[in-house]
Amino acid sequence: MRDIKPILPISIAIPTLNRPVSLKQTLTTYLVANYRPAQIIVVDQSTQPDIRKQNKQLLDNLPQDINGIYIHQAFPSSTHARNRALRVANQDIIIWSDDDIEIGTDILKNVYDIMQDSSVALIAGLNDYQPSHKTIHPTLTLSKKFIGCIMGMYPWRQGKIGYVSLSIFGRFPKFPVKGEVPTQWAMGFFFVTRKHLLNQWNIYWDENLRSFAFEEDLDFSYSYYKHAQKEGLKCIYSDKVHVFHHPSTEYRIPSKHHTFMIICNRYYLAHKHKKGIISIMAMSWYNFWYLILRLVRNKQPEDVWQAICYCVKNHRAISKGHLGEYK
């Protein structure tokens, strides 16, 4: 008997890189839900031919009522991959999804129902997997909270809105979320936008944030939020939209590369979003304490120091988006 489920006018955009098992599990979770998306787009940056073959077969074997699109990209760039997905998305509601998530059986229907309110421009997904995302870090010890405040990552008084900090980190609102809570940003594992607004506002993923990227989701969603705010549209968390984001162990960003992105990408975004000298000072303060923390923990503090020196030496180029590959 044919497996027939209601199709919703939603495009799912999934970039992937050397994670065939995780991708298969993620696609499965979309297929076994009570409702299915009209379109699933996978942009595959995998380096091994056998992985690419497996991933393409997954898309080829999707149910016939789903428009499955497989795109091979010969180089790693999450921003470039998402822009390619954006160009071929044929539904107005776009879900930006990682390749290592699990959704509930009615999440797509909840997304669709919320987006029927034309005043809602963005829905940021909640993460049921990581306890630190259930509140503004209630599970952290007082010492960790204190260190986070000292480093400029968290405010002394915790607000209810999800916001972008002066040191260019996305902070979560005070949880548990009940109903709708406004946010200035969304984390890239699962969030929802409208394609016609992206086109209208000329918003794309910033390909200056290269390779594996870092804070590209913050940059994209924060840019979108600022336009939405000007037009009186809402960007929200909802207690009806939450997923499990499983940190995949298949492929991770090299440690040194990731450290350089933490330092340099945030400096670039502070300039791009015109956050001002106070933001630069806040980031410098964070970087200092980040170095101290890595020294205390003996976790490659030399990477942090090298990244800081690189950023200071190349600050003019970095502020204009010339970020390099940090190899």
Side-chain angles (χ1 to χ4, degrees), residues 183-315:
T183 185
Q184 297 178 346
W185 75 296
M187 203 166 186
F189 63 84
F190 187 97
F191 72 99
V192 188
T193 59
R194 297 185 188 273
K195 182 170 182 175
H196 82 272
L197 292 179
L198 292 169
N199 291 339
Q200 176 182 326
W201 298 333
N202 196 31
I203 295 175
Y204 297 92
W205 295 83
D206 189 341
E207 294 181 19
N208 286 321
L209 300 168
R210 302 168 68 181
S211 190
F212 312 103
F214 176 79
E215 299 285 33
E216 78 283 6
D217 47 3
L218 181 148
D219 170 59
F220 180 82
S221 58
Y222 188 46
S223 297
Y224 188 87
Y225 157 79
K226 289 189 288 185
H227 282 278
Q229 186 182 45
K230 289 178 182 178
E231 300 200 15
L233 301 177
K234 297 186 294 185
C235 296
I236 62 170
Y237 287 100
S238 169
D239 58 2
K240 295 180 180 179
V241 180
H242 46 91
V243 303
F244 287 85
H245 181 215
H246 301 280
S248 176
T249 59
E250 284 188 273
Y251 185 81
R252 308 305 300 175
I253 299 172
S255 175
K256 184 173 183 178
H257 191 124
H258 186 258
T259 300
F260 269 69
M261 289 191 297
I262 289 174
I263 305 297
C264 300
N265 288 13
R266 288 168 40 250
Y267 184 83
Y268 164 59
L269 293 180
H271 283 272
K272 176 180 177 179
H273 291 284
K274 298 179 173 59
K275 302 291 279 186
I277 189 63
I278 296 178
S279 179
I280 302 300
M281 293 171 63
M283 281 192 298
S284 299
W285 182 246
Y286 168 85
N287 294 342
F288 168 75
W289 284 104
Y290 185 43
L291 175 61
I292 297 299
L293 196 61
R294 293 276 285 263
L295 277 168
V296 171
R297 295 178 175 177
N298 195 26
K299 290 189 176 181
Q300 298 174 295
E302 66 277 4
D303 289 353
V304 181
W305 178 247
Q306 290 173 15
I308 291 172
C309 292
Y310 179 90
C311 191
V312 170
K313 181 180 178 180
N314 299 281
H315 68 278

Side-chain angles (χ1 to χ4, degrees), residues 167-183:
S167 53
I168 315 299
F169 285 104
R171 306 286 22 120
F172 294 92
K174 187 175 181 179
F175 282 75
V177 165
K178 293 182 179 180
E180 296 180 358
V181 173
T183 185

Side-chain angles (χ1 to χ4, degrees), residues 95 103-115 123-128 175-181 190 192 236-243:
I95 293 177
I103 67 167
T105 55
D106 291 322
I107 293 301
L108 292 187
K109 183 62 163 57
N110 293 345
V111 165
Y112 177 75
D113 288 346
I114 294 170
M115 295 299 279
I123 308 171
L126 300 172
N127 186 1
D128 280 350
F175 282 75
V177 165
K178 293 182 179 180
E180 296 180 358
V181 173
F190 187 97
V192 188
I236 62 170
Y237 287 100
S238 169
D239 58 2
K240 295 180 180 179
V241 180
H242 46 91
V243 303

Side-chain angles (χ1 to χ4, degrees), residues 15-18 43-47 71-73 75-78 81 211:
T16 189
L17 173 61
N18 295 332
V43 183
D44 189 1
Q45 308 154 79
S46 300
T47 56
I71 300 172
H72 169 235
Q73 182 169 292
F75 56 94
S77 170
S78 61
S211 190

Side-chain angles (χ1 to χ4, degrees), residues 3 5 25 27-36 103-105:
D3 182 15
K5 295 184 178 182
Q25 292 171 342
L27 291 177
T28 298
T29 196
Y30 281 113
L31 297 179
V32 300
N34 292 335
Y35 299 83
R36 289 174 173 168
I103 67 167
T105 55

